[in-house]
Amino acid sequence: MNSKHPKQQVDAEQLDLATRAAWLSFIGGYTQGEVAKRLAVSPVKAHRLIQLAQQQGMVKIFIEGEPARCVALEEQLAKKFSLRSCLIAPSDHINADDNEANFNEVGAGAARFFYNILNQLPQSSCVGIGKGRSLSALAEKLPKINRADLTFASVSGSFTRKFSANRLDVVQQFVERTGGEGYFMPVPYLARDDEEHEMLMAQASVQFSLNLARNANLYAVGIGGLKTNHYLHSVGLVTDNDLEELRSAGAVCDLIGSFYDIMGKLVDHPLNGHGLGINAAEMAGKRVVAVAGGLGKELALLGALRSGLVTDLVMGEVTAEKLVSLMEFK
């Protein structure tokens, strides 16, 4: 159904949204309200996006446009894991093995997606914030928004042994871009042993931060893969021996200090009791947006998705294709 309206000049972001809206409407069979919910926009904007797709000549007997392949993958993953939403950032296939480019692509897509979610949060909401490069990439690209009523709270310990690697700046970046208030958890990510865990968790300042995180309306978390260059290993929080033991126990995924196997079950390892922060399971029933930038996270993503804790997912196209292929064998 080609539109007779002349094409108007539209920026790349609007074209991306229009393509997604058209695919969901004409291929996915979603109602306008459902399209709005999937894209985290108003019903009026969803209607305008579908109209824009028609005016741009994208709607024929199929949906034209580079993001259409991504939307098909999004639909497959959303249905498989009962996700509220799934956003796959188109990848530059010429530089498909460029890890930094992948973080940038996913960060940009996640920033637009999260901006819309923040706009729709009720007054005085609290947002639980995790760790990692993916969330840092999101925060760096998040447009400024006037939401001074929002509170951002770390869901896990904020200190690492390397000062340059501390992720306090993630919460701080959200605060800077919204004008809201931020709270970090003044302890390491993981305790050395049971005694240290008990002592640190009993601190009044930690209990205050824990209560904020547990009562959050929304969570934004990263997903860590247990490779040799895993974040925890790179900043000295786990040893080579720790990593080897975790992998031997079947761990493929780190989700805010909890370690899961490929079936989405907690592995039997002492480190699963040493996380300083809320347990990943305490997010159950809440909206949990997982941002998975970087390459080689297919196994970690499969474990995290099978845990049933993730409700919304943002990832790159190359990783999504590998994840879908992996699902057929694991």
Side-chain angles (χ1 to χ4, degrees):
M1 64 182 83
N2 283 312
S3 171
K4 295 182 180 179
H5 295 284
K7 291 186 178 181
Q8 56 180 296
Q9 292 297 317
V10 184
D11 63 34
E13 181 177 323
Q14 285 295 98
L15 280 177
D16 179 282
L17 277 174
T19 304
R20 294 175 186 278
W23 196 99
L24 291 169
S25 178
F26 295 102
I27 305 299
Y30 287 87
T31 66
Q32 184 174 300
E34 290 169 335
V35 171
K37 184 176 181 180
R38 282 288 302 274
L39 298 181
V41 300
S42 69
V44 171
K45 183 165 185 178
H47 175 69
R48 289 175 180 168
L49 287 169
I50 294 168
Q51 282 189 321
L52 176 61
Q54 293 177 285
Q55 292 167 3
Q56 293 294 307
M58 290 186 282
V59 182
K60 300 176 183 176
I61 59 171
F62 55 88
I63 308 300
E64 291 183 327
E66 184 67 22
R69 180 170 60 251
C70 294
V71 182
L73 287 167
E74 291 167 1
E75 185 71 2
Q76 185 176 356
L77 290 169
K79 286 184 175 179
K80 173 68 176 178
F81 297 105
S82 301
L83 299 176
R84 179 168 177 170
S85 66
C86 180
L87 174 67
I88 295 174
S91 297
D92 178 0
H93 285 78
I94 296 176
N95 299 306
D97 58 349
D98 188 332
N99 202 48
E100 289 300 319
N102 188 277
F103 275 113
N104 288 331
E105 292 160 357
V106 173
R112 185 191 69 209
F113 177 73
F114 210 66
Y115 176 84
N116 289 331
I117 293 178
L118 291 179
N119 262 321
Q120 297 176 26
L121 280 178
Q123 284 286 315
S124 303
S125 292
C126 179
V127 183
I129 301 294
K131 304 279 181 294
R133 293 179 63 191
S134 299
L135 292 185
S136 182
L138 184 168
E140 287 172 3
K141 294 174 174 58
L142 185 69
K144 288 201 172 182
I145 174 177
N146 184 19
R147 288 302 305 264
D149 59 296
L150 296 179
T151 297
F152 297 91
S154 293
V155 299
S156 53
S158 300
F159 295 147
T160 68
R161 293 173 186 171
K162 293 183 180 179
F163 180 78
S164 62
N166 277 329
R167 295 299 182 176
L168 295 180
D169 57 317
V170 177
V171 168
Q172 183 61 30
Q173 283 174 309
F174 280 110
V175 170
E176 290 173 351
R177 281 155 176 75
T178 63
E181 189 62 79
Y183 295 89
F184 66 92
M185 206 166 291
V187 289
Y189 190 69
L190 293 169
R192 288 191 298 262
D193 50 40
D194 292 342
E195 183 178 356
E196 183 179 71
H197 182 270
E198 183 178 354
M199 182 268 292
L200 291 174
M201 290 288 277
Q203 301 301 309
S205 58
V206 175
Q207 286 298 313
F208 174 81
S209 298
L210 282 170
N211 286 332
L212 280 177
R214 284 171 177 151
N215 292 303
N217 306 79
L218 167 74
Y219 295 96
V221 301
I223 295 176
L226 299 188
K227 300 181 297 183
T228 54
N229 63 343
H230 174 52
Y231 169 71
L232 298 186
H233 182 260
S234 69
V235 298
L237 287 176
V238 296
T239 65
D240 290 330
N241 187 59
D242 289 331
L243 272 181
E244 184 59 36
E245 287 183 357
L246 282 167
R247 286 194 289 258
S248 296
V252 297
C253 166
D254 166 29
L255 193 58
I256 67 166
S258 294
F259 300 93
Y260 290 83
D261 65 20
I262 199 168
M263 300 309 297
K265 305 296 183 183
L266 286 168
V267 300
D268 183 14
H269 190 277
L271 279 180
N272 257 334
H274 292 169
L276 293 165
I278 66 171
N279 295 322
E282 291 183 275
M283 300 187 298
K286 300 286 190 70
R287 188 169 192 184
V288 180
V289 178
V291 183
L295 302 172
K297 289 190 175 180
E298 302 81 42
L299 285 172
L301 277 161
L302 192 52
L305 290 168
R306 284 175 172 168
S307 76
L309 297 175
V310 175
T311 63
D312 302 75
L313 176 64
V314 184
M315 63 190 299
E317 182 183 358
V318 170
T319 303
E321 290 172 342
K322 291 180 178 178
L323 173 60
V324 169
S325 295
L326 184 66
M327 285 159 44
E328 299 176 5
F329 303 102
K330 297 288 187 177

